[in-house]
Amino acid sequence: MAEALTTRGKAASGRTDLTETCAAWRTAAHHSTHASVSAMLRVGRRWVDWAVQVADASSAAEAYHHVMSLIPRVVAARYLPSERDRLLRGVQSTVEEAGYWLTQAGRRRDAVVAIELGRAVSITDVLLRDRDDLADVAKLPGGVELLDRYSRAVTALREAERAGHGTSAATAAARQRARAEYEQVLGQIDRLAGTRFADAPATYPEIGAAAAAGPIVYLAAADRMGYALIVTGEADPDFCLLPGLTRPRAAMAVDRFLAGTDRQSVCRTLRWLWKNGISDLVGQLPAGAVVTVIPVGVLGLLPVHAAGGPAEPTQAPQNWSFVSDSVIVRYAPNARSLSTVLKRAAALDRQDLRLLAAAASAGDPRRPLPYADAEARAAAGRWAAARARATPLPDATYQALLSALPAHQVWHFACHCEAYPDRILDSALLVDGGRLTLRQLLRLPDRPGRLAFLSACHSHRPSRDLPDESMGLPGGLLQVGMTGVVASHWSVGDESSVFLSSRFYDLWRGRGLAPVNALATAQRWLRTATYADLDAYLPGTLDPRGGLPARDSPEWTKSRPFDHPHDWAPLALTGA
């Protein structure tokens, strides 16, 4: 089917008239809408390949805009994970390239909307297709019958898709009937299970309205170069070219970063980001602004918020310039989700919030966390100092956590975690006596939560394979009902986390800063705090076994034990 449909485009490709050739591809793409999803994508990709080869921005923009319009059709097959992932891998680079070519054609608003659509592949979709084959639905009234109908609809849809190479009216009608039945069953499952999927794609005015809380930066790495689209309101977005941030180079940087996150490796990644465009981007942002970064593709695996570099080649990392010196960064899956969590956060902040500070120092006996209990107690103490209710839960057990979590709107976890971005519901916090998985958290009574603080290693990471179509624990906890999640891009220092988290709660609940501002301020404080400052803040917390300087020595009042970015910069906020 696809081969026949693209004959028109191929026949025209040898002509010099770009307008005529593009018209032929447009016609082929139009006719492919009556074919299977696979056939539509094949035609669209071939149109894109031709347009990029001739390097005509207008043609490439139109071709990519067409392919982007097909993504909702791909995602509609959300209960067919193997087929869905196979198709999505075929368009893995589409979002970045679509934004690039639309921008090159002067269609910046369309570029933003296209990227937003690509990033808006519903979090709920990821969770549902990973939900034990919808076993939970069977427990609901009428669920067994509905799942049986769903199974038959899936079989019929697969058969119709396999027969999609035919062009007869009967074949097309059978495919439409199968698709209609499939969508109808999904809608009934949604209503029965209380799930919801993304609505119509966001419009540019909606995205601009979300930027009222601060600039939104869509950050992408395309084949030819990287770029950022900066939305500050209803006006056209600003555009920043980042020539060094190409997708091949970004992919290599990701591989190096994931291979090791020791101090030297982290610094290499932060410096690479800074040198290859992030420093230029920061120069275009309002000083002191809260900036929401929406990273696209593999850039979602890199710690953009912590990028930094030296003014002189020999300058130590402790003295570099960093993103956080100019702006305050948070992350979001997309602009629409940002709008949602900001509204929910505003409502929750008017309520009496309760903190549960849980620690599991022996959740993984091979890797004890000697400071975990101290961290939980210090966090609870700082929260209580702001005349708010807090529950410390040292040596947290699996059952104790399950019982306590529903009564609290703020969760602090000082423990190890296991993050499985490709099987997000199996991601777990390692506590005494078991693994507390995201699947189990989803089964808690449905009530909104304000913030989850994951003082746990690598808790921020999405999938390396399909970063736009999966999520890390922050995305999963947003789905649980949290409006904000603090998580780590690399290994969190056990001792430094005690000071950083306590300062964070001081600034948030004690001084009224928003969580994103409180985290950035706490990180700047930790970066500059001396031994004397830290001891005065939390007396007796510094471990003398670490070789503390004498209290009457100059080092006690001048040395800054956590001034390296590896110590103060791993954590970032997703949401509000």
Side-chain angles (χ1 to χ4, degrees), residues 46-130:
R46 290 173 184 177
W47 183 8
V48 160
D49 291 343
W50 166 80
V52 172
Q53 184 178 10
V54 299
D56 180 66
S58 179
S59 299
E62 183 180 0
Y64 268 113
H65 197 264
H66 167 71
V67 173
M68 288 298 300
S69 73
L70 301 178
I71 287 181
R73 295 285 296 273
V74 177
V75 176
R78 52 183 169 260
Y79 292 116
L80 310 176
S82 61
E83 296 174 29
R84 175 187 182 276
D85 286 354
R86 175 177 57 80
L87 293 172
L88 283 171
R89 284 187 181 93
V91 295
Q92 176 68 65
S93 64
T94 299
V95 176
E96 299 101 306
E97 297 301 318
Y100 173 78
W101 285 106
L102 285 162
T103 301
Q104 291 299 302
R107 300 169 59 178
R108 293 186 184 181
R109 291 187 176 219
D110 286 341
V112 166
V113 172
I115 296 175
E116 176 74 8
L117 171 62
R119 291 293 299 150
V121 174
S122 176
I123 289 175
T124 307
D125 165 62
V126 178
L127 289 166
L128 284 177
R129 70 185 177 94
D130 194 26

Side-chain angles (χ1 to χ4, degrees), residues 81-379:
S82 61
E83 296 174 29
R84 175 187 182 276
D85 286 354
R86 175 177 57 80
L87 293 172
L88 283 171
R89 284 187 181 93
V91 295
Q92 176 68 65
S93 64
T94 299
V95 176
E96 299 101 306
E97 297 301 318
Y100 173 78
W101 285 106
L102 285 162
T103 301
Q104 291 299 302
R107 300 169 59 178
R108 293 186 184 181
R109 291 187 176 219
D110 286 341
V112 166
V113 172
I115 296 175
E116 176 74 8
L117 171 62
R119 291 293 299 150
V121 174
S122 176
I123 289 175
T124 307
D125 165 62
V126 178
L127 289 166
L128 284 177
R129 70 185 177 94
D130 194 26
R131 251 184 64 182
D132 288 343
D133 296 324
L134 301 179
D136 290 346
V137 176
K139 302 174 185 177
L140 304 173
V144 174
E145 294 79 4
L146 191 57
L147 287 180
D148 180 63
R149 185 180 162 201
Y150 158 72
S151 179
R152 286 185 274 112
V154 167
T155 300
L157 179 60
R158 282 177 171 153
E159 291 176 352
E161 289 287 335
R162 292 191 190 103
H165 300 287
T167 57
S168 69
T171 301
R175 188 165 50 248
Q176 290 174 0
R177 287 194 300 271
R179 172 64 60 180
E181 169 66 7
Y182 178 66
E183 292 291 346
Q184 186 180 42
V185 173
L186 291 182
Q188 292 181 358
I189 290 175
D190 290 351
R191 291 190 288 275
L192 180 64
T195 58
R196 55 184 174 79
F197 297 97
D199 299 322
T203 64
Y204 188 79
E206 289 175 324
I207 297 169
I216 295 175
V217 176
Y218 293 88
L219 186 65
D223 276 339
R224 301 193 174 203
M225 65 182 64
Y227 63 94
L229 287 158
I230 306 167
V231 181
T232 56
E234 295 184 1
D236 288 345
D238 292 325
F239 182 64
C240 180
L241 281 176
L242 311 172
L245 206 65
T246 64
R247 183 167 52 252
R249 297 189 70 201
M252 292 176 60
V254 166
D255 288 340
R256 289 195 301 267
F257 180 62
L258 297 184
T261 54
D262 54 48
R263 297 168 84 84
Q264 184 177 359
S265 299
V266 164
C267 284
R268 182 176 61 234
T269 298
L270 302 187
R271 184 172 183 172
W272 183 88
L273 284 165
W274 186 254
K275 179 181 177 182
N276 287 283
I278 301 305
S279 61
D280 296 329
L281 171 61
V282 169
Q284 288 194 215
L285 298 171
V290 174
V291 176
T292 301
V293 173
I294 300 176
V296 183
V298 295
L299 292 183
L301 290 110
L302 294 174
V304 175
H305 73 283
E312 301 292 339
T314 59
Q315 194 174 41
Q318 290 88 334
N319 300 317
W320 287 359
S321 296
F322 293 91
V323 170
S324 58
D325 294 329
S326 301
V327 296
I328 298 171
V329 171
R330 64 181 165 207
Y331 296 98
N334 49 65
R336 175 169 282 171
S337 67
L338 176 65
S339 294
T340 299
V341 297
L342 285 172
K343 291 175 184 176
R344 285 168 43 202
L348 285 165
D349 284 341
R350 294 191 292 267
Q351 300 178 15
D352 179 19
L353 300 178
R354 298 187 62 182
L355 167 71
L356 177 68
S361 57
D364 183 348
R366 299 167 300 173
R367 298 176 294 162
L369 298 171
Y371 283 89
D373 286 353
E375 180 177 337
R377 294 183 188 280

Side-chain angles (χ1 to χ4, degrees), residues 309-475:
E312 301 292 339
T314 59
Q315 194 174 41
Q318 290 88 334
N319 300 317
W320 287 359
S321 296
F322 293 91
V323 170
S324 58
D325 294 329
S326 301
V327 296
I328 298 171
V329 171
R330 64 181 165 207
Y331 296 98
N334 49 65
R336 175 169 282 171
S337 67
L338 176 65
S339 294
T340 299
V341 297
L342 285 172
K343 291 175 184 176
R344 285 168 43 202
L348 285 165
D349 284 341
R350 294 191 292 267
Q351 300 178 15
D352 179 19
L353 300 178
R354 298 187 62 182
L355 167 71
L356 177 68
S361 57
D364 183 348
R366 299 167 300 173
R367 298 176 294 162
L369 298 171
Y371 283 89
D373 286 353
E375 180 177 337
R377 294 183 188 280
R382 293 293 162 173
W383 191 270
R387 297 185 295 279
R389 291 180 290 175
T391 304
L393 197 63
D395 301 318
T397 65
Y398 173 81
Q399 290 298 335
L401 269 174
L402 282 181
S403 300
L405 286 171
H408 298 80
Q409 299 80 36
V410 181
W411 301 344
H412 184 96
F413 296 104
C415 61
H416 285 297
C417 84
E418 292 177 346
Y420 301 106
D422 296 312
R423 295 179 288 112
I424 189 61
L425 296 184
D426 293 327
S427 294
L429 299 165
L430 306 186
V431 297
D432 294 349
R435 301 169 70 257
L436 183 62
T437 67
L438 183 58
R439 190 185 312 278
Q440 291 157 334
L441 293 175
L442 280 168
R443 292 172 179 160
L444 294 174
D446 186 17
R447 59 182 300 172
R450 180 60 185 92
L451 186 131
F453 194 117
L454 306 181
S455 186
C457 302
H458 309 297
S459 48
H460 185 276
R461 288 184 180 175
S463 166
R464 175 66 174 87
D465 192 23
L466 279 170
D468 278 335
E469 323 309 335
S470 69
M471 68 181 84
L473 277 170

